[in-house]
Amino acid sequence: MSVLVVSVDAAGPVVVVRARTRARAPAGCTGCGTLSEWVHSRYERHLADVALGGRPVRIDLSVRRLYCENAACPKVTFAEQVPELTERYQRRTPLLQHVVESVGVLLAGRGGSRMLRVVNVALSRCTVLSQLMRVPLPPLVTPRVLGVDDFALHGDTYGTLLVDATTRLPLTLWEGRDAEQLGRWLRGHPGVEVVCRDGSLTYRQGITSGAPDALQVSDRFHLWQGLSRQVQKVASAHHDCLPAALPEPEPTGPEPAGASSTAPAPAETPAGRHARRLFEAVHAALADSRRSHSSVARELGLDRRTVRKYARARTWQEVMRRPPRRTTTLDPYLDYLQQRWDEGEHNAKILHQELLTKGYLGHYQRVKMAVAPLRLGLPLDEPRERPPSPREAARWIITAPDRHTPHTSQRLHRLLDHCPELQRAHHLVRQFAAMLDTRDAAPLPGWLDQLTASGLSPLAGMATALREDQHAVVHAITTHYNSGVNEGRITDVKLQKRLMAGRAGIPLLRHRVVLIAHLRRKYAGWPTLTPG
């Protein structure tokens, strides 16, 4: 089908191209495909095209309406179509339609509408979304290796995402994470041989009912993450041992002259007297072993956590102990401040100006606060190490020894030497890490027995859960299948949700997640403007 351009009008704000189809060229019927030259009449179509020189383009195309010469065809007349220029019931050229659909897939409604205005295409966000939903999803091919994972939709509502672990492309998603729906999908798509999942009992039951012959693989990352959480619970239960990770305090030198006469003793300060009074009251109330912290808190008018803090302290001085100060940008210059103070320079403003010439970028107030103890005859307040938190201690235990810094390695050794329970947990973690590294699941039954007999309730509970899913755990250790592609696609789902301000329904979210993944794969980056 050939088109004859009659004229081009570029005088107005819109570039208008007037054209008409050839008069004697046969056209195929849109109902049966029979070629016909029997002209009924002509009519004019108005097609929007991509902008030209920053100006909108409209094509006024005169096309023929012809009679269908096939008596069996239900159509009496039909309008001819021009390949690559017109489509039935469409007022945009295929090129512009491809731009609208691609922008809708990438930016959704409101963002897509704004982006289209940049290229002089005025469409509302609702129109962009409707054009997006008209794009057909790629045909779903049953994968050999399937990834299953859940994601948060909003609040306590979750969804399920299925991913082809071989092609790394999302297949579909739906609201909820129940076993029945997953089993129904698997029965409707037979041929899945391997399913990668987390330790969810729901997904385990759905896979067992929908694809009983499929190999179930529990994800190594979730196994390691679960072990890390249980180790953190063990560290929390033994939080009294965590300060043992700190080195022994160095012996202090002689007190500065005048320190004893200027600085008051802790017991003589109002805070010291208050701490000692509360310490004595709490321990006197707790002398009766049958009393709880809550009852003592009600009697003394204190918070239960305050009562617990004083009850755990062995002396009232422990409650007065200041928390270790964090390091600051002034710490590298403390020696210089001490030197200048000893030389007789006690003006904080001058000291701050001198530090600026040496590269210090902090504020004057920090220097003023740093030299305040020197005015009372006290030493400079130097940063001190904090005891590790349970989470930090668990991270030391979980991390491979060859990845520890020398400082962390020393702190971990001191902690493990002091706490046999954490030492036991560390030994069990390293055994499981060796199984993952060597892909050898033979020691797994004995390792689970050690978890049960370890005397550490969090690890014993984990052993019970792993025994119920032991076959999937064995496959996680011995095979190369994992749920890494699932986690990557879940991150992409969260991104698309945020782009739509979390207001997208499941059909729209499914459309965008599936189509945008195929667009990226097709164009290996940002989609071009070439349709097809």
Side-chain angles (χ1 to χ4, degrees):
M1 178 69 62
S2 58
V3 176
L4 175 64
V5 176
V6 177
S7 65
V8 177
D9 182 8
V14 179
V15 178
V16 180
V17 179
R18 294 183 176 86
R20 59 183 291 129
T21 57
R22 298 284 184 179
R24 296 183 179 179
C29 174
T30 56
C32 63
T34 304
L35 294 179
S36 174
E37 297 181 357
W38 186 5
V39 178
H40 173 274
S41 59
R42 275 185 174 270
Y43 81 101
E44 192 173 78
R45 298 184 62 177
H46 304 283
L47 305 172
D49 200 6
V50 293
L52 177 63
R55 298 166 62 186
V57 175
R58 188 183 77 233
I59 301 175
D60 294 341
L61 179 63
S62 175
V63 297
R64 297 174 296 168
R65 179 171 292 279
L66 301 98
Y67 289 102
C68 180
E69 301 181 17
N70 181 6
C73 180
K75 284 187 172 294
V76 179
T77 63
F78 64 92
E80 62 179 339
Q81 303 296 326
V82 181
E84 300 182 2
L85 184 60
T86 64
E87 290 185 4
R88 297 180 67 192
Y89 313 116
Q90 184 63 266
R91 299 186 66 179
R92 285 181 287 272
T93 63
L95 180 59
L96 181 58
Q97 180 65 17
H98 176 71
V99 172
V100 172
E101 293 173 353
S102 299
V103 171
V105 170
L106 293 171
L107 300 176
R110 197 178 301 275
S113 176
R114 291 170 179 168
M115 184 62 192
L116 288 172
R117 290 196 194 101
V118 176
V119 294
N120 283 300
V121 179
L123 291 178
S124 68
R125 61 183 180 87
C126 296
T127 303
V128 175
L129 290 179
S130 67
Q131 297 301 312
L132 164 62
M133 296 303 294
R134 289 177 55 186
V135 180
L137 291 176
L140 197 152
V141 179
T142 301
R144 190 183 71 87
V145 183
L146 177 68
V148 182
D149 207 348
D150 61 346
F151 63 94
L153 276 172
H154 48 80
D156 295 332
T157 304
Y158 286 81
T160 297
L161 175 68
L162 304 186
V163 182
D164 186 338
T166 303
T167 63
R168 311 179 71 86
L169 291 174
L171 299 175
T172 186
L173 59 86
W174 60 73
E175 183 176 351
R177 48 181 178 181
D178 55 306
E180 181 181 354
Q181 193 166 3
L182 177 59
R184 186 165 56 251
W185 189 93
L186 289 171
R187 285 190 293 270
H189 300 82
V192 176
E193 300 177 9
V194 181
V195 182
C196 302
R197 57 167 176 80
D198 56 15
S200 169
L201 174 62
T202 301
Y203 289 149
R204 187 196 320 167
Q205 294 173 343
I207 297 168
T208 302
S209 65
D213 297 330
L215 184 72
Q216 298 191 39
V217 181
S218 186
D219 182 46
R220 287 192 293 272
F221 167 76
H222 287 96
L223 291 174
W224 192 252
Q225 184 184 55
L227 180 60
S228 176
R229 289 173 177 170
Q230 303 312 314
V231 171
Q232 183 175 342
K233 292 179 181 179
V234 174
S236 298
H238 297 84
H239 67 277
D240 293 336
C241 299
L242 300 182
L246 302 179
E248 293 293 334
E250 299 180 359
T252 58
E255 293 185 357
S260 58
S261 60
T262 306
E268 300 175 2
T269 63
R273 290 192 295 269
H274 178 72
R276 183 169 57 183
R277 184 172 64 253
L278 286 184
F279 177 82
E280 294 172 353
V282 168
H283 279 264
L286 290 174
D288 184 358
S289 59
R290 293 175 297 178
R291 297 199 62 179
S292 65
H293 290 175
S294 298
S295 65
V296 174
R298 287 192 296 269
E299 177 185 338
L300 300 179
L302 300 174
D303 189 88
R304 183 172 55 86
R305 289 172 294 184
T306 303
V307 173
R308 183 177 58 189
K309 179 178 69 172
Y310 278 90
R312 289 177 175 177
R314 288 167 293 185
T315 62
W316 65 268
Q317 288 87 349
E318 290 185 18
V319 185
M320 286 288 296
R321 188 185 308 157
R322 289 183 303 165
R325 180 174 69 80
R326 295 184 182 274
T327 57
T328 67
T329 56
L330 185 61
D331 292 340
Y333 305 96
L334 292 180
D335 293 338
Y336 178 78
L337 282 179
Q338 183 68 57
Q339 175 188 342
R340 294 291 291 131
W341 187 273
D342 295 339
E343 294 173 357
E345 183 56 69
H346 296 174
N347 190 311
K349 194 71 174 179
I350 296 177
L351 291 174
H352 178 251
Q353 295 295 333
E354 294 178 2
L355 292 180
L356 291 179
T357 62
K358 292 183 172 293
Y360 175 64
L361 302 176
H363 197 268
Y364 155 74
Q365 287 293 337
R366 189 176 292 278
V367 178
K368 178 182 176 182
M369 294 173 61
V371 299
L374 296 177
R375 301 187 188 280
L376 300 176
L378 300 174
L380 287 173
D381 188 14
E382 297 182 353
R384 293 163 288 166
E385 284 192 277
R386 292 171 174 262
S389 64
R391 184 175 183 177
E392 188 176 6
R395 184 168 64 248
W396 293 350
I397 294 173
I398 288 292
T399 304
D402 57 350
R403 302 188 64 180
H404 284 153
T405 63
H407 178 66
T408 301
S409 181
Q410 294 172 4
R411 299 180 77 184
L412 178 60
H413 286 159
R414 286 192 292 266
L415 177 61
L416 298 183
D417 291 342
H418 177 80
C419 184
E421 289 82 6
L422 292 179
Q423 175 72 50
R424 202 176 311 138
H426 179 264
H427 178 66
L428 293 170
V429 167
R430 298 271 55 89
Q431 284 184 332
F432 188 68
M435 284 188 275
L436 293 178
D437 291 340
T438 60
R439 295 190 181 277
D440 182 14
L444 180 63
W447 182 75
L448 294 177
D449 293 338
Q450 292 183 53
L451 287 185
T452 305
S454 64
L456 306 173
S457 57
L459 296 183
M462 182 179 181
T464 303
L466 293 183
R467 280 195 179 94
E468 296 175 356
D469 199 21
Q470 188 165 342
H471 292 292
V473 176
V474 170
H475 296 148
I477 297 174
T478 56
T479 66
H480 65 278
Y481 301 114
N482 61 80
S483 298
V485 62
N486 303 2
E487 298 300 329
R489 289 303 174 189
I490 291 296
T491 302
D492 191 51
V493 170
K494 295 177 180 177
L495 172 63
Q496 307 313 323
K497 279 178 50 188
R498 292 186 178 97
L499 285 177
M500 295 181 285
R503 295 196 296 263
I506 289 296
L508 176 58
L509 186 61
R510 181 191 304 118
H511 239 71
R512 290 201 62 226
V513 168
V514 174
L515 290 176
I516 200 170
H518 283 79
L519 269 180
R520 290 169 180 162
R521 178 64 55 86
K522 182 177 181 180
Y523 298 107
W526 194 265
T528 64
L529 300 183
T530 303

